[in-house]
Amino acid sequence: MSVSYIVSGFAVGLLVGLTGVGGGSLMTPLLTLLFGVSPTVAVGTDLAFASATKVAGTFAHRYRGNVHWNIVRQLCIGALPAAVLTTLTLKYFGGLDKEVGQIIRYSIAGSVMLTVIALMFRTRLQNWMSAHPNRQIHGTKLVTATIVSGAILGTLVTISSIGAGAIGATILVLLYPRLSPAEIAGTDIAYAVPLTAIAALGHWWLGSINWELLAMLLLGSVPGITLGSLVSKAIPEKVLRVLLASVLTTVAVKLVF
């Protein structure tokens, strides 16, 4: 079982490094469906996994000059307070109750489908925005939209551990269409580091992190995301995107039914 965890961590880490997406979207359903981990523990463990994994990805993308730190800062202004408030809400309603666990399971499924939509239409959205520069926002409106987007992502990620990748990347495409795919991936991974760290601390407070499982996942994921980040510009993104979307659709259906 330990080998399975390590291999799973490496595979997910590699996808995250290559595309900036797929961490929570794959790892949380994987833990729930394949390894039988409860939804609440899967979310908490995955958030701790993501915070550590994305640190390695951030260093790799920073080395390649793919991170826009001003955008990272604005996203965090909205995302971090939202993560704290969502954690307090989960505590109030009983983060470990069976009923809440079922709600989280459905939240995971819904977030996975949002991720699929984001993956499949991201390029079209980027092309449309580039072709219609008059529809793009600038200045104060752009800053406000970035902060609000961060708050939405902070809530979604804390509840389901999903959204920081594909959904966050899609939002970056809409708001900043001139960024290259590698810059979107790098910026997306960088802002997710403090967000997933805050959310993971909240779930640690709720008691929903399996530390032994986390260690096995990280053993595989850190080299995986580092490798993926370093070669992200050399792999055709379209092939990975279609494959990932197909897997995620299957996962979402199984989570609901």
Side-chain angles (χ1 to χ4, degrees):
M1 187 64 72
S2 296
V3 174
S4 299
Y5 290 147
I6 294 172
V7 172
S8 298
F10 178 83
V12 172
L14 184 64
L15 274 174
V16 173
L18 286 171
T19 66
V21 306
S25 304
L26 282 177
M27 185 56 71
T28 302
L30 191 67
L31 293 176
T32 304
L33 296 174
L34 185 60
F35 298 118
V37 178
S38 70
T40 49
V41 174
V43 169
T45 303
D46 180 57
L47 284 168
F49 161 80
S51 63
T53 301
K54 290 177 185 293
V55 168
T58 298
F59 277 113
H61 276 287
R62 181 178 181 274
Y63 174 76
R64 301 294 294 270
N66 294 334
V67 181
H68 287 257
W69 294 105
N70 60 317
I71 301 175
V72 171
R73 182 175 61 254
Q74 293 164 15
L75 285 169
C76 287
I77 290 173
L80 301 189
V84 173
L85 290 175
T86 304
T87 299
L88 294 174
T89 302
L90 287 174
K91 180 67 172 180
Y92 178 79
F93 285 105
L96 301 177
D97 289 351
K98 182 178 180 180
E99 293 78 9
V100 175
Q102 191 65 28
I103 292 174
I104 292 177
R105 186 182 179 93
Y106 288 136
S107 297
I108 294 171
S111 298
V112 168
M113 288 311 301
L114 285 175
T115 302
V116 171
I117 294 171
L119 281 169
M120 297 308 297
F121 291 99
R122 195 170 80 185
T123 302
R124 293 184 183 180
L125 288 171
Q126 189 171 30
N127 292 338
W128 187 87
M129 291 297 293
S130 297
H132 298 82
N134 57 308
R135 299 296 181 90
Q136 299 174 24
I137 59 176
H138 304 278
T140 303
K141 290 183 178 180
L142 180 58
V143 173
T144 302
T146 304
I147 293 173
V148 171
S149 298
I152 295 171
L153 288 168
T155 302
L156 184 62
V157 169
T158 305
I159 292 174
S160 67
S161 82
I162 297 171
I167 299 174
T170 301
I171 289 175
L172 288 176
V173 167
L174 288 171
L175 297 180
Y176 303 92
R178 294 185 179 180
L179 295 184
S180 69
E183 289 173 327
I184 289 172
T187 303
D188 191 40
I189 290 174
Y191 100 86
V193 171
L195 169 56
T196 52
I198 292 293
L201 284 173
H203 278 271
W204 171 69
W205 180 50
L206 295 173
S208 53
I209 295 179
N210 184 324
W211 295 103
E212 183 179 355
L213 170 59
L214 173 62
M216 293 297 100
L217 294 174
L218 289 177
L219 193 59
S221 71
V222 171
I225 194 171
T226 302
L227 176 62
S229 299
L230 291 175
V231 301
S232 59
K233 292 184 177 180
I235 305 296
E237 185 184 358
K238 184 176 181 179
V239 175
L240 288 172
R241 188 169 64 247
V242 172
L243 177 61
L244 187 56
S246 300
V247 173
L248 293 179
T249 301
T250 304
V251 165
V253 172
K254 288 188 176 182
L255 279 169
V256 174
F257 302 103

